[in-house]
Amino acid sequence: MPSPTLLSRPIHHTGYGLMGLTWTPTPPEIPIAIAAMKAAVDNGANFWNGGIIYGSPTYNSLHLLRAYFDKYPGDAAKIIVRRPSSRKKSTPLSILGGTKSIDIYETARVDPTLPIETVMSTLTPLKKSGKIGGIGLSECSAATINRAAKVGQIDVVEVEASLWSTEIFTNGVAAACAQHGIIVAAYSPLGKGFLTGKVVAPSEFEEGDHRKHMPRFQPGVKGLAERKGVQPSQLALAWVRAQGRKGDNPVMVPIPGSTSVERIRENLAAVELTDGEVEELDALVKEHTITGGRYPEQFAKLCFGDSVTLEEWNKKG
Ligand SMILES: NC(=O)c1ccc[n+]([C@@H]2O[C@H](COP(=O)([O-])OP(=O)(O)OC[C@H]3O[C@@H](n4cnc5c(N)ncnc54)[C@H](OP(=O)(O)O)[C@@H]3O)[C@@H](O)[C@H]2O)c1
């Protein structure tokens, strides 16, 4: 498949998610995290996904990025970093100490109290003046994407997409992205580890790990993986990418996370599925009933969100 293009630059078929390097009960030591990030670069991943919300105010993705680019300043130009703001907090760029500029600025979730038109008309001039490289939205509805696209170009929409999170292909989000030429950054493409064949039940996660309360179970992808001679994780990622080959879908770039050099290498390898294999996995998805939502109820409310309309906003005064 040809390389996806983001901000007019070719990017690898698969990106890299930084969340697990800082936002777990027991984050890896900084040298281990940096070795993982280096492995991502060395294996081609030049689209990274991090955020101030991934960790604590004193240790999150930005701190780690700073440590990484202090050590490998030459890599700053190679990598596109997408950095979500939290809905409530702005991103204190001083943490980066000038080691890296903002490539893609993303609103993490949709603020239901702020019209998306206002968000876009604030960010678009910043993009035009070069203060930010691009604009990202996250977990938004198709209607919000369509409204936002009338104001300015959205570069990326970040949403969960995997063999067991297929909602975007039926709720209009993927179609809206395709229509407006937006890349989908598919987060949790390995089902947060459940689709790798190595985790069987939420009870296996340590206390304090948010996945302990994720209510789903793993469909079997092991059979096809064994026949193809690849890992189930590679199959799961290849399936996400392959959705982008289908007529109405946008370019799909999965952003798996891993703390292990070996697994990062595995995830970034070029494994492609034939159309027949995609159909086989599609059938597997159809025949499994996925039980439980993607998030516990209080967080699910913020997914596929709609912002208030300008009309409603004006009425409120
Ligand atoms: N915007 C949002 O709301 C949101 C939410 C969640 C995630 N994200 C983004 O998406 C990225 C990835 O999502 P995620 O971490 O939730 O889930 P994921 O990438 O689907 O899965 C990560 C888990 O799978 C394990 N893993 C990775 N590669 C593996 C392999 N080849 N074999 C076996 N196990 C493997 C990792 O463990 P090891 O570390 O031990 O390898 C980790 O436990 C995050 O880093 C973050 O950037 C965004």
Side-chain angles (χ1 to χ4, degrees), residues 17 19 49 109 188 190 192 211 257-259 263 266-267:
M19 185 178 81
N49 188 67
R109 307 286 186 270
S188 301
L190 297 170
K192 304 177 198 289
R211 295 170 299 179
S258 176
T259 51
R263 290 191 283 279
E266 203 170 276
N267 295 344

Side-chain angles (χ1 to χ4, degrees), residues 192-261:
K192 304 177 198 289
F194 283 85
L195 294 166
T196 63
K198 288 167 194 147
V199 177
V200 178
S203 55
E204 288 182 24
F205 292 112
E206 63 181 312
E207 218 35 73
D209 189 313
H210 65 285
R211 295 170 299 179
K212 206 170 177 67
H213 306 288
M214 294 293 169
R216 293 185 167 180
F217 61 87
Q218 169 191 342
V221 288
K222 272 188 171 170
L224 177 56
E226 273 165 19
R227 265 186 285 136
K228 198 172 165 66
V230 300
Q231 295 298 323
S233 44
Q234 293 178 312
L235 209 61
L237 296 173
W239 180 85
V240 170
R241 292 190 295 266
Q243 298 313 298
R245 303 204 302 247
K246 294 182 181 169
D248 292 342
N249 285 345
V251 172
M252 300 286 304
V253 178
I255 49 167
S258 176
T259 51
S260 137
V261 168

Side-chain angles (χ1 to χ4, degrees), residues 75-99:
D75 283 354
K78 293 184 201 163
I79 299 161
I80 295 178
V81 179
R82 191 210 56 86
R83 216 170 298 137
S85 63
S86 104
R87 285 196 314 127
K88 303 278 180 218
K89 296 176 218 152
S90 62
T91 304
L93 296 173
S94 54
I95 298 174
L96 288 166
T99 53

Side-chain angles (χ1 to χ4, degrees), residues 8 17 37 44 48 109 121 141 184 240 311:
S8 309
M37 293 156 91
W48 289 8
R109 307 286 186 270
S121 59
S141 69
V184 166
V240 170
E311 209 180 10

Side-chain angles (χ1 to χ4, degrees), residues 53-207:
I53 48 176
Y54 296 158
S56 70
T58 52
Y59 188 55
N60 57 59
S61 299
L62 297 190
H63 299 90
L64 195 53
L65 284 164
R66 165 78 184 267
Y68 183 84
F69 291 120
D70 271 343
K71 181 157 183 173
Y72 298 109
D75 283 354
K78 293 184 201 163
I79 299 161
I80 295 178
V81 179
R82 191 210 56 86
R83 216 170 298 137
S85 63
S86 104
R87 285 196 314 127
K88 303 278 180 218
K89 296 176 218 152
S90 62
T91 304
L93 296 173
S94 54
I95 298 174
L96 288 166
T99 53
K100 184 89 180 94
S101 55
I102 302 186
D103 295 315
I104 295 179
Y105 185 88
E106 178 181 303
T107 57
R109 307 286 186 270
V110 173
D111 187 335
T113 65
L114 192 64
I116 197 70
E117 289 81 1
T118 307
V119 174
M120 288 300 291
S121 59
T122 305
L123 294 179
T124 302
L126 295 178
K127 180 175 163 180
K128 285 192 178 142
S129 68
K131 286 213 168 64
I132 57 174
I135 299 173
L137 301 180
S138 170
E139 284 289 2
C140 43
S141 69
T144 295
I145 295 169
N146 288 329
R147 283 169 52 199
K150 284 191 185 143
V151 184
Q153 172 66 37
I154 306 151
D155 298 284
V156 179
V157 163
E158 188 198 359
V159 270
E160 186 168 356
S162 70
L163 278 163
W164 72 353
S165 292
T166 56
E167 294 85 347
I168 65 160
F169 303 114
T170 52
N171 67 8
V173 167
C177 290
Q179 188 193 335
H180 300 294
I182 303 166
I183 282 185
V184 166
Y187 81 69
S188 301
L190 297 170
K192 304 177 198 289
F194 283 85
L195 294 166
T196 63
K198 288 167 194 147
V199 177
V200 178
S203 55
E204 288 182 24
F205 292 112
E206 63 181 312
E207 218 35 73

